[in-house]
Amino acid sequence: MNPANPAPAIEVRNLLYSYTTDKVLRFPDLHVNKGGQCLLLGESGSGKTTLLHLIGGLLKPGQGMIRIGDTDITKLSEHKLDHFRGQHIGFVFQKNHLITALTVKKNLLMAPFLAGVSHDEARVQTVLQELGLAEKANADVRQLSHGQAQRVAIARAVLNKPDVILADEPTSALDDKNCDRVIELLLSVAKQNQSTLLIATHDQRLKSKIAQQIIL
Amino acid sequence: MNLFILVWNYLKARPLNTVLNIVLLSLGIAVITILLLFNNQLQQKISENARGIDLVVGAKGSPLQLILCNIFHIDFPTGNIKLSEAEKVARNRLVKKAIPMALGDSYNGYRIIGTTQAYPAIYGAEIAQGEWWQKNMEVTIGANVADVLQLKLGDGFTSQHGLTQDGHAHDEQKFVVKGILKRSNSVLDNLILTNVESIWLVHEVHHETDGQHEEEKHEAHGEADHDHAHDADFKPSSLIPSVAAGDSIKEITSLLVQYRSPMGAIQMPRWVNGQSSLQAASPAFETARLFSILGVGVDILKGFAYVLIFISALSIFIALYNSLKERKYDLAIMRSMGAARSTLVVTILMEGSVLTLMGSAIGLLFGHGVLQVMSVFVEETQKAGISGIVFYPEEWIILVGSLLLGLLCAIIPAVQAYRTDISKVLAGNG
Ligand SMILES: Nc1ncnc2c1ncn2[C@@H]1O[C@H](COP(=O)(O)OP(=O)(O)OP(=O)(O)O)[C@@H](O)[C@H]1O
Ligand SMILES: [Mg+2]
């Protein structure tokens, strides 16, 4: 590997997916460097979410190759894929989908537990600190504001130091000020954890924040 | 973090629902437990108390009453039989052992039994303090009698006529405690034992001083006449040696019979019942009949308990099924964090079985507790020797059964969890 052409963290080639037999979604090839950031743009219904789910192994492609680091995830069995996802990929969704029965800290601890890695108390504290959630560790997630809940979701996604963070419309429902704050936060935690960041959005406000952009 | 903490938090997040389900199930299980403990102990006590007694011969009346009165000492006597007739039964070649019983007096609710030492020997009774009764008006008392009435060796008391506490007092004759029995967990624990002559003695005095109580001829009484013990041609009775054989006046309440051979069971009852004034009752047969009568009540209670358990199972199923709708996001997010489908299935199954296991554990504890409280505060339960701190292997079946019930309730929700289309749910159109 030479520095001018570093190893890709995400590589997608010749990818096809069809929800129904009569319609096939074709995706452009994609190449994101390790530690890099990429924006996935496109009209509503263009397939952004679908591509993100394919890369995250939540969907099985009809055809094509998806590499995360050195692994072609299309070749993994379902069980191996679950395990791989837990260890290497962190998700952030538009709706933050926290588990309401659990406290903030227990929500975070689900990530290492489900990924099958041992949890590290110091790491949990660091991440909570980074995202300004230190006092909220034992709070009921139903009592958080929308912005706080979004930060908990981001904390959960980065806790295992994933190679790749996949974010689906993380800012669409936010006003300009909060949109700015969340995107800065995502960029900074991704950098701190040396994670590659891929954001799917139709939010034009993000265009100025990330250079690499792919339009579906 | 582990699955149990997760499941526990889910249960805590719906406290009313969880408590309702646990209460419903534990009530059902408690009823089953109480029935199990009560029934088992009662059957055990009954068979222990009836062991070694093949036949009870007494006056005509209800055979069940004859058994209840003379073996378990809970019902009233059916009447008296002539000693001479009892001797005839005892002489039958099929009879190995015949023990006379004379009932009719009590002390503070505890029955005084006139008998021979062959009676406590049936139960393998042993003396804890003092010795066996020898002379008239000496008694050897059961462990409960000594405990509850605070009787010590050498204490004297007067009996009450009849088997209840409000009987007319026999003030003239005092019984003396000669010995206290070791606890045998049999009816002996609640009895005061003496010889048959003593019973006759207190009733003879009663007869002379209190003639108007003629109607109480249910109880054993007759005219004692000790003088003939010195007659030249005196032949002692085989049952009560101080009385002449063939005495035509003396009466006893019943005769406990042990057979010499199994042939006895076939021939004796018919032969005894053929005698005009006698009746034979088989403890084995009568207790089986008693249990089939009790069985109806037990079955009704059991049915009630099963209805409770069924309702709680249904309620657990509905709770899990409904919670799954809200929880499909949780399940999808768990998959996105690396959980396998099987992990989701285990989570749901665990939730069902934790609920039912808790319900049944609480139900078992509750059942034991209720019975223990009853055994302390309810005299009948105490006398019957029924305790709440007895455990039966069937309780494992209850625990395992409720675990299976929990799994059963959770199986459809678990299959749903298994089938969750995570991508669809997370895309927001699931
Ligand atoms: N479960 C599904 N079954 C059938 N078709 C689907 C399903 N999910 C998505 N589609 C279709 O696939 C296409 C891509 O959908 P996708 O959700 O990836 O778009 P998107 O770019 O994320 O849109 P948006 O910006 O609205 O989120 C759309 O035409 C959509 O109608
Ligand atoms: Mg989308």
Side-chain angles (χ1 to χ4, degrees), chain B residues 105-107 157-162 164-173 202 205-206 209-210 213 216:
Chain B
D105 266 40
S106 63
Y107 175 54
F157 60 88
T158 55
S159 64
Q160 287 117 21
H161 183 60
T164 47
Q165 294 202 21
D166 47 346
H168 158 91
H170 285 150
D171 294 329
E172 302 77 11
Q173 300 277 343
V202 289
V205 174
H206 156 73
T209 58
D210 211 4
H213 276 235
E216 293 178 355

Side-chain angles (χ1 to χ4, degrees), chain A residues 19-20 23 25 42-51 168-169 202, chain B residues 424 427 429:
Chain A
Y19 282 105
T20 50
K23 196 175 155 212
L25 288 168
E43 297 290 296
S44 179
S46 57
K48 303 182 293 294
T49 297
T50 306
L51 180 55
D168 194 2
E169 312 277 15
H202 61 250
Chain B
K424 208 166 163 179
N429 49 11

Side-chain angles (χ1 to χ4, degrees), chain A residues 152-202:
Chain A
V152 175
I154 294 171
R156 183 174 63 185
V158 300
L159 192 73
N160 291 345
K161 297 194 178 176
D163 298 330
V164 172
I165 298 173
L166 303 174
D168 194 2
E169 312 277 15
T171 59
S172 306
L174 304 176
D175 59 30
D176 288 355
K177 208 172 125 201
N178 275 307
C179 169
D180 251 25
R181 201 185 279 168
V182 165
I183 193 67
E184 293 303 338
L185 204 59
L186 265 176
L187 288 170
S188 80
V189 291
K191 199 162 282 168
Q192 261 160 33
N193 297 298
Q194 287 144 19
S195 304
T196 306
L197 183 62
L198 181 60
I199 301 178
T201 189
H202 61 250

Side-chain angles (χ1 to χ4, degrees), chain B residues 392-419:
Chain B
Y392 289 98
E394 285 94 327
E395 293 176 53
W396 286 113
I397 299 178
I398 293 180
L399 272 180
V400 172
S402 53
L403 179 70
L404 292 179
L405 185 72
L407 294 177
L408 189 72
C409 294
I411 210 147
I412 291 175
V415 167
Q416 275 192 317
Y418 184 88
R419 290 204 188 136

